[in-house]
Amino acid sequence: MIIWNNPAGAQIFGGTAPRTHWKKIIIPKATIIYPTGIDSLAMKVASDIQRINQAPQKNIGTKRKKINIILRNSGLVSNGYVALSPFRSEFYLTPLQSPFELGSLPWPDMLSVHEYRHVEQYSNFDVGLSHTLRSIFGQSGQALANAAAVPDWFFEGDAVYQETNFTRQGRGALPYFYNGFRALWHEGKNYSWMKLRNGSFRDFIPDKYILGFILTAYGREKYGTMFWEPVTHDAASFKSLIYPFQSAFRKHSGIKFSSFRDSAFHFFQMQFNDRTVSKSSSDYYLNEELPSYTPTGATIYLRSSVKSVPQFMLRIHGKDSRIRTADYMVENYFSYRNGRIVYASGRPDVRWGYKAFNEIQLLDIHTRKQKQITRKSRYFSPDIDETGKRIVAVHVPAVGTPSLDILEVSNGAKLETLRLRGIINYAYPKIYGDTVIACVTDTLGQMSLALFNLKTNSSETLIPFSYNVVGFPVMLNDTIYYSSSNKKNDELFAYILRDKKTFMVQAKDGSIGKYHVTLSDTSISWSAFTSQGMRIKEVPRSNISFSEIPIRKYPLVTSSFGLVAINNINSNLIYGRTDSVFHSAKYNALSHPVNFHSIIPGVDDPVYTLSLQGENLLNTIQTEIKVSYNRADHSKTAGGSIAYARWFPVLTGGMDFNLDRRFLRRDTFVYYNTYEPYAGIYIPLNFSKGRSFTSLTFGTNYVFNHTVFQKPFRKKYNDRSYSYISNYLSFANQSQMAGAQVLPRFGQSIYLNYKTPVSGVTGFQWLATGRLFLPGFGLTHSFSITASYSQKDSLNQISFSSAFPFARGYQAVNLWRMTGTQVNYQLPLLYPELGFANLAYLLRIRGNAFYDQTNARINAHDRKEFKSAGIELYFDTKWWNQVPVSFGVRYSRLLDQDIFGTTGSNRWELIMPVNLFNK
């Protein structure tokens, strides 16, 4: 699988071009590391961290370990993370377009408040048994212990609580944040606690952020703002080895955790006046977003689901047809006008993983042909005018202030740039003739609607700036319709330009949120939340009414959703002071090149490994020292490696010492030792674009081997030395995948490897493997065919390891010449969604039917066939309510004799997860 967008929680190895120059700001509790050109953002982050550390109340503990924070500004993802092993944080500074999801506060402020809370958590959870594991295994030891003791919902919910406490907004003050649970309560979906914790491959489940906020906020509301400090301290200390968090909770609250969570859900459910109804919903999670009417009354919309990737759809008289599958989008958004869909699709830089582009695409719904308008751009939320000649889009540069750009459709050239003084962000612009409407955000994070007159080169804001988020404006005649938060719901509003008056649009339909409004002469539609995703809601325009909101009564603040304690202490701490100015200096990109941080155990039976791992902060150098033991032949290995990825090619090198290796000669094991220094170079390239993810990696390794026979055998065998090179190429291409899809519906992969000695011995080995993925009968089914070819020399002076996919069930051997075919059909069988003791959860059982055939030439005269058929059952589970683990069992029926293995035709094997300790 190819994932090119910046992952939250993991660095990208060698993801920054070497021409990037870095600077740093050092403050008492953090070092801010950032690329040149964004000094003001770095100063803001440093000021925020200073203010947080000056908070009068430390309600999770008083420890604050110093953290390195790396600012990234050239990607598309709006996110951030704090991680152990090594202890560092990364902020991805491109702001999200939708203010409903994360709010409208300045993005560096939100990142600082939320992510630094994780720094405080890790600092104070380094206690008891967690500290003991850190002392033994390094930072990964604490990470493992903390994850086992403190649930992930607490980490994220507590950080959202800090957002809402320290700022004037935060997600806890946004109606959109609660919509998922509101929809479940509204439709009487009473899912089990373990389902809410572990998710589903069928149903919509609210994420851990809202779940955690509900529980942490209610805990402070009921037991006081300091309640969670002793609970998490005892849990991270493992004062109870069995269910440490639940035990600590009961100790400090006096009630069972199950009773507490029921009360928390009830508290928030009572904040809404939703009447419980019984609705027929889709049998799986499905979203319908961004409806737009055509002149004939049909509806264009974007559909996505847990089973399918986003698709542009046409709905006529209730019947849907697909226009086109969308290219990969960073955010689900498009605009439609007069037969044309315009949207932005993401594309990564070919080599540097932290760099990406958002390019405008134009789709004709009649011809279904798509044209690319811009290249290597960073445009968001585009809209096209009625004539089809101009596009307006939000430009978010890697360095500098966002703007609205007017573009020429024919060649993508920029015609005009629009800006308002004091505005730091723009969202969802719409162009109507010589008028542009957009949602705008000021330096405090307050939002308004702005109108730009292209003919007079003038602009104005239409509604008062407030912390109520605003989005999705459309204009019909002289009225602008838009969505905005209003108390505890996101409602629909209208602003009449002629009268300069604002109205709430009321439909009395009970919608949970009103987004993406569209209007025709007779109807009005929007997207609303349901228990199985967003659905298009359509009502006659005659059924809506307008209620004027005088300017003096315009809501300026958001709702607290019944929470009182959240404003008692530290309220709005992040604001009210001028940002500080700090000294900045050059940061050496090669600082702390080794930086060992963790000891990681690994199990790939029969090999057991213990490795000491390190990486520098920018993740351009990775180092490892490891020892391993092979249970099967009792051999041992010790070695070290280093990889350097700051240049265009990645350089690798290392050395392995192998002890007590053996081979069988005339019923006697011959023992020997080897040492192998090696060096390599490879180039990883990413050609992902449109609807496909595509990668190409090629390189070569040089290995020198010196073999020393142990004392009893030195009279019969001479020590020897040889060297060889291993050249390889790996290509993969696949279509986008939905959440419930295990394998891509379309895809191809090729792996080529050629090994040959360059001194000491003579020989060679070829390996070629290709795999083709095709759609099955269902959206989550997959059909795949693998073809392989391998050949080595017949001199037998050297024996290389082989990755040839031998027919399943047989003893795999590396023979002179082999060709192979594997046919698979994979499909889901059951969705048990059952839990055990709050420890393990079974989400899905999958089946795979296979047929394998390996044709082998043992020598020039002897040919053999190895055919097998069978089934595999896979169990997709979660352990400790947060770690995904898939394992399985395989039955193989051998259709030929296993001449290199045991007798019998029926073989059973366990399929164990790989890298379980790294999850």
Side-chain angles (χ1 to χ4, degrees):
M1 186 186 302
I2 306 165
I3 301 176
W4 67 261
N5 55 310
N6 297 349
Q11 287 184 312
I12 299 173
F13 185 47
T16 306
R19 63 178 175 270
T20 304
H21 299 288
W22 296 89
K23 300 174 75 174
K24 63 182 178 181
I25 295 173
I26 301 176
I27 59 176
K29 294 298 182 180
T31 298
I32 317 300
I33 303 166
Y34 62 97
T36 55
I38 59 169
D39 296 72
S40 60
L41 295 179
M43 295 287 180
K44 190 167 189 57
V45 170
S47 295
D48 289 342
I49 302 302
Q50 288 278 67
R51 290 174 189 149
I52 294 170
N53 276 288
Q54 295 166 0
Q57 185 189 76
K58 306 291 194 295
N59 59 15
I60 201 69
T62 58
K63 297 178 183 177
R64 300 291 186 276
K65 293 184 179 181
K66 190 167 185 177
I67 183 77
N68 296 289
I69 301 173
I70 300 100
L71 306 185
R72 306 283 188 181
N73 64 323
S74 56
L76 301 178
V77 174
S78 306
N79 214 326
Y81 72 89
V82 175
L84 294 168
S85 64
F87 186 45
R88 86 288 192 197
S89 178
E90 288 197 352
F91 291 5
Y92 304 133
L93 294 175
T94 302
L96 192 71
Q97 278 286 288
S98 172
F100 295 98
E101 296 181 42
L102 293 176
S104 58
L105 297 177
W107 188 232
D109 290 349
M110 274 287 289
L111 287 171
S112 298
V113 175
H114 183 98
E115 301 305 335
Y116 194 73
R117 186 55 164 186
H118 295 319
V119 175
E120 297 173 315
Q121 291 163 347
Y122 281 128
S123 298
N124 288 282
F125 295 170
D126 183 16
V127 290
L129 184 58
S130 295
H131 179 72
T132 301
L133 290 182
R134 180 190 178 97
S135 301
I136 298 172
F137 295 106
Q139 293 172 355
S140 287
Q142 182 191 341
L144 177 65
N146 286 174
V150 181
D152 56 355
W153 61 255
F154 180 85
F155 279 94
E156 299 301 349
D158 181 55
V160 172
Y161 187 91
Q162 179 141 302
E163 289 174 23
T164 315
N165 178 210
F166 279 15
T167 71
R168 296 190 178 98
Q169 193 183 71
R171 273 173 281 186
L174 299 177
Y176 188 96
F177 189 56
Y178 298 88
N179 282 348
F181 269 108
R182 283 186 65 188
L184 296 186
W185 296 331
H186 186 51
E187 298 181 29
K189 300 280 188 177
N190 297 314
Y191 294 140
S192 69
W193 168 246
M194 291 198 72
K195 183 167 181 173
L196 292 175
R197 288 286 286 116
N198 293 283
S200 171
F201 287 117
R202 297 181 305 171
D203 301 318
F204 167 74
I205 302 296
D207 63 32
K208 59 189 174 185
Y209 293 84
I210 176 58
L211 176 65
F213 179 80
I214 285 175
L215 297 175
T216 56
Y218 183 70
R220 290 191 171 100
E221 196 72 18
K222 184 176 178 64
Y223 299 108
T225 56
M226 301 298 293
F227 171 69
W228 292 112
E229 179 181 358
V231 173
T232 52
H233 178 276
D234 288 359
S237 300
F238 284 86
K239 290 195 174 181
S240 172
L241 292 176
I242 301 175
Y243 301 114
F245 188 85
Q246 292 90 330
S247 298
F249 178 87
R250 185 164 188 173
K251 172 185 173 182
H252 293 282
S253 68
I255 65 172
K256 291 182 178 180
F257 181 74
S258 57
S259 300
F260 163 78
R261 69 175 186 246
D262 291 342
S263 297
F265 290 148
H266 179 74
F267 173 85
F268 279 95
Q269 189 173 2
M270 291 299 100
Q271 302 307 311
F272 305 98
N273 295 320
D274 300 327
R275 180 175 55 88
T276 302
V277 298
S278 177
K279 287 189 176 182
S280 59
S281 302
S282 168
D283 62 349
Y284 61 93
Y285 180 21
L286 172 70
N287 281 321
E288 298 174 347
E289 301 175 87
L290 301 154
S292 292
Y293 287 123
T294 70
T296 61
T299 302
I300 306 286
Y301 73 97
L302 187 70
R303 183 175 71 185
S304 61
S305 78
V306 71
K307 294 184 179 182
S308 61
V309 297
Q311 300 174 328
F312 297 113
M313 304 296 296
L314 176 64
R315 178 172 292 173
I316 302 176
H317 303 306
K319 293 184 178 181
D320 292 346
S321 61
R322 181 172 64 89
I323 300 172
R324 185 185 189 273
T325 297
D327 288 359
Y328 171 77
M329 292 189 285
V330 177
E331 56 179 353
N332 285 356
Y333 184 81
F334 77 93
S335 292
Y336 168 81
R337 197 77 63 85
N338 199 18
R340 293 172 293 262
I341 288 173
V342 62
Y343 68 105
S345 66
R347 180 170 67 86
D349 184 82
V350 172
R351 171 62 180 90
W352 309 111
Y354 281 109
K355 186 176 182 180
F357 310 102
N358 224 28
E359 301 167 327
I360 296 177
Q361 311 292 336
L362 186 64
L363 172 63
D364 188 307
I365 70 167
H366 303 297
T367 65
R368 306 194 177 187
K369 292 183 178 180
Q370 183 168 290
K371 173 185 176 182
Q372 184 169 328
I373 304 300
T374 64
R375 286 169 174 78
K376 291 191 173 183
S377 58
R378 290 173 55 86
Y379 284 116
F380 296 82
S381 304
D383 184 55
I384 190 169
D385 69 3
E386 278 290 340
T387 67
K389 296 180 179 180
R390 294 177 301 171
I391 288 174
V392 62
V394 180
H395 179 223
V396 183
V399 177
T401 305
S403 63
L404 295 176
D405 284 0
I406 310 294
L407 308 173
E408 174 68 50
V409 169
S410 61
N411 56 17
K414 182 165 61 175
L415 301 175
E416 191 173 353
T417 295
L418 307 177
R419 284 193 177 94
L420 270 176
R421 180 176 295 181
I423 296 302
I424 63 171
N425 204 13
Y426 303 83
Y428 306 126
K430 306 292 287 187
I431 183 168
Y432 300 92
D434 291 321
T435 299
V436 172
I437 304 162
C439 306
V440 295
T441 306
D442 67 14
T443 55
L444 295 177
Q446 300 178 111
M447 294 197 72
S448 179
L449 276 177
L451 184 145
F452 299 84
N453 190 313
L454 303 181
K455 186 174 289 187
T456 62
N457 197 27
S458 61
S459 59
E460 62 177 318
T461 55
L462 305 179
I463 59 177
F465 280 93
S466 76
Y467 288 104
N468 291 292
V469 294
V470 179
F472 311 117
V474 296
M475 188 164 74
L476 182 66
N477 301 323
D478 69 337
T479 303
I480 300 171
Y481 296 83
Y482 63 96
S483 299
S484 178
S485 55
N486 179 60
K487 298 180 180 178
K488 298 178 182 180
N489 197 31
D490 291 323
E491 299 285 0
L492 183 60
F493 290 81
Y495 180 86
I496 299 178
L497 291 169
R498 180 184 64 252
D499 302 327
K500 295 187 177 183
K501 292 182 178 181
T502 303
F503 297 82
M504 180 182 288
V505 181
Q506 298 174 321
K508 296 182 180 180
D509 63 306
S511 288
I512 297 176
K514 295 182 178 70
Y515 311 95
H516 323 137
V517 65
T518 186
L519 301 99
S520 70
D521 291 336
T522 59
S523 300
I524 181 170
S525 292
W526 57 78
S527 296
F529 266 77
T530 75
S531 67
Q532 286 289 56
M534 299 190 77
R535 294 292 191 276
I536 296 173
K537 182 81 173 181
E538 183 177 37
V539 298
R541 290 185 64 180
S542 58
N543 285 6
I544 63 174
S545 60
F546 290 75
S547 175
E548 184 181 355
I549 302 177
I551 291 294
R552 66 181 183 277
K553 293 185 178 180
Y554 194 87
L556 300 178
V557 295
T558 55
S559 173
S560 63
F561 292 91
L563 299 174
V564 176
I566 202 166
N567 294 317
N568 286 348
I569 298 178
N570 298 335
S571 180
N572 296 334
L573 176 81
I574 205 69
Y575 298 110
R577 301 180 190 176
T578 303
D579 290 340
S580 302
V581 177
F582 302 92
H583 171 73
S584 63
K586 178 182 177 181
Y587 178 77
N588 186 353
L590 298 179
S591 295
H592 304 95
V594 178
N595 193 28
F596 287 121
H597 54 78
S598 299
I599 297 176
I600 306 294
V603 177
D604 190 8
D605 190 68
V607 179
Y608 297 80
T609 304
L610 206 62
S611 64
L612 175 63
Q613 297 184 352
E615 64 186 54
N616 65 333
L617 290 174
L618 297 179
N619 204 12
T620 54
I621 303 174
Q622 292 183 344
T623 50
E624 181 182 38
I625 297 174
K626 67 179 180 180
V627 293
S628 64
Y629 174 74
N630 189 314
R631 179 185 56 81
D633 63 9
H634 305 291
S635 63
K636 303 92 180 171
T637 298
S641 64
I642 186 170
Y644 181 71
R646 193 162 182 247
W647 296 335
F648 186 81
V650 179
L651 307 180
T652 62
M655 179 177 289
D656 286 336
F657 295 91
N658 303 297
L659 305 176
D660 298 331
R661 291 283 180 91
R662 68 185 186 182
F663 62 87
L664 187 64
R665 178 62 59 91
R666 296 176 183 175
D667 299 325
T668 301
F669 282 113
V670 177
Y671 288 86
Y672 62 95
N673 305 327
T674 69
Y675 70 86
E676 288 187 337
Y678 57 89
I681 185 172
Y682 70 92
I683 297 175
L685 302 175
N686 194 336
F687 297 103
S688 299
K689 185 179 180 181
R691 293 173 287 186
S692 298
F693 297 151
T694 307
S695 71
L696 174 67
T697 300
F698 56 92
T700 185
N701 291 319
Y702 172 85
V703 181
F704 175 80
N705 179 286
H706 181 65
T707 300
V708 178
F709 288 90
Q710 295 184 4
K711 264 191 176 181
F713 311 100
R714 302 197 73 175
K715 293 180 180 180
K716 291 185 178 182
Y717 302 97
N718 295 323
D719 296 348
R720 64 173 184 171
S721 299
Y722 64 89
S723 58
Y724 68 91
I725 59 172
S726 175
N727 304 311
Y728 60 91
L729 180 147
S730 176
F731 170 82
N733 176 68
Q734 69 168 68
S735 59
Q736 298 180 61
M737 291 173 55
Q741 293 174 338
V742 179
L743 297 171
R745 289 176 61 75
F746 292 97
Q748 312 84 36
S749 67
I750 298 172
Y751 177 75
L752 303 175
N753 181 223
Y754 177 69
K755 297 177 181 177
T756 184
V758 293
S759 67
V761 292
T762 302
F764 71 89
Q765 179 170 284
W766 267 105
L767 173 66
T769 300
R771 193 173 186 185
L772 176 66
F773 295 95
L774 296 169
F777 293 107
L779 290 174
T780 54
H781 296 202
S782 179
F783 177 73
S784 66
I785 303 173
T786 302
S788 304
Y789 172 82
S790 176
Q791 183 173 349
K792 64 179 183 176
D793 68 284
S794 58
L795 298 176
N796 290 324
Q797 292 185 16
I798 184 173
S799 179
F800 295 108
S801 62
S802 175
F804 182 88
F806 211 87
R808 279 165 278 194
Y810 291 93
Q811 177 68 40
V813 288
N814 187 7
L815 301 174
W816 175 43
R817 181 184 297 166
M818 298 182 289
T819 60
T821 303
Q822 296 183 326
V823 180
N824 295 271
Y825 191 91
Q826 183 275 146
L827 74 163
L829 299 176
L830 296 170
Y831 296 91
E833 297 186 344
L834 297 174
F836 170 73
N838 211 34
L839 295 176
Y841 191 75
L842 177 59
L843 289 102
R844 177 174 60 188
I845 300 175
R846 293 182 282 119
N848 181 59
F850 67 86
Y851 172 81
D852 294 355
Q853 180 170 326
T854 298
N855 299 316
R857 292 281 294 270
I858 299 176
N859 51 52
H861 307 288
D862 195 2
R863 301 183 182 185
K864 293 291 182 182
E865 284 191 347
F866 304 87
K867 299 187 294 293
S868 65
I871 58 173
E872 297 169 330
L873 285 180
Y874 290 91
F875 302 89
D876 296 325
T877 66
K878 276 195 177 180
W879 290 81
W880 303 288
N881 295 303
Q882 57 194 66
V883 181
V885 176
S886 294
F887 61 92
V889 60
R890 175 188 297 139
Y891 167 72
S892 303
R893 174 70 178 181
L894 306 192
L895 306 179
D896 296 293
Q897 183 182 0
D898 186 4
I899 61 176
F900 300 106
T902 57
T903 59
S905 298
N906 300 309
R907 300 290 167 84
W908 292 90
E909 300 171 87
L910 290 177
I911 306 171
M912 299 302 294
V914 179
N915 294 330
L916 179 60
F917 283 93
N918 290 335
K919 287 185 178 290

